[in-house]
Amino acid sequence: MNRTDNEKEEHTMPKTGFHAEGAPTPAGPYSHGVVANGFLYTAGFGPQDAANAHAVADNVGDQTRQVLRNIEMVLAVHDLTMADVVKTTVHLADLADFAEFNEAYGEFFSAPYPVRTTVGSQLADILVEIDVVAALPQA
């Protein structure tokens, strides 16, 4: 059925945004995570360590570990773990760092691994940024 703009029904998907205590403060108007349609979606996290005055390691392996610890804090708000993650998107400042990144990343996941997209991106003074999608338990 085709409708004109005036005839369109307002439809909003139920979603709940939230912030995780202990995770780095967002740098803009966004949530740490959003729950919608049976999934938890996280923001893209960098390697800032909120507990250590936002310190950032100088190598991609340690940055990856901190990013994934930040994501673990967000997942924990809804009693989820990395085992619940079904999709990750990874941004690397330099794709030449892939092997070191991949080794650190592998410390946080086990089979069946989430699907993953890894891309080279221009990042602001960090080496890696990651966001995830996790499945919520079915009621």
Side-chain angles (χ1 to χ4, degrees):
M1 174 178 193
N2 292 330
R3 296 184 180 135
T4 66
D5 286 340
N6 293 334
E7 296 175 321
K8 289 183 180 177
E9 295 176 26
E10 186 174 322
H11 175 75
T12 57
M13 173 187 63
K15 65 181 181 179
T16 304
F18 65 93
H19 290 90
E21 187 175 326
T25 303
Y30 59 88
S31 300
H32 280 151
V34 169
V35 171
N37 291 331
F39 292 94
L40 185 153
Y41 301 84
T42 73
F45 279 88
Q48 292 78 11
D49 181 357
N52 191 13
H54 299 285
V56 175
D58 62 357
N59 64 74
V60 75
D62 288 338
Q63 284 195 19
T64 299
R65 290 177 189 91
Q66 183 59 51
V67 168
L68 294 171
R69 286 191 294 269
N70 290 340
I71 289 171
E72 285 177 323
M73 284 186 252
V74 175
L75 295 173
V77 170
H78 285 274
D79 298 322
L80 300 175
T81 69
M82 293 302 209
D84 298 301
V85 172
V86 296
K87 168 81 170 99
T88 67
T89 303
V90 177
H91 298 267
L92 292 177
D94 187 346
L95 289 173
D97 289 337
F98 182 82
E100 183 181 351
F101 148 77
N102 198 49
E103 182 177 334
Y105 177 96
E107 296 169 13
F108 287 79
F109 295 99
S110 57
Y113 299 103
V115 297
R116 178 175 76 190
T117 301
T118 304
V119 297
S121 295
Q122 188 174 13
L123 301 172
D125 299 323
I126 60 174
L127 302 174
V128 61
E129 180 177 316
I130 302 171
D131 66 84
V132 307
V133 178
L136 296 164
Q138 294 183 348

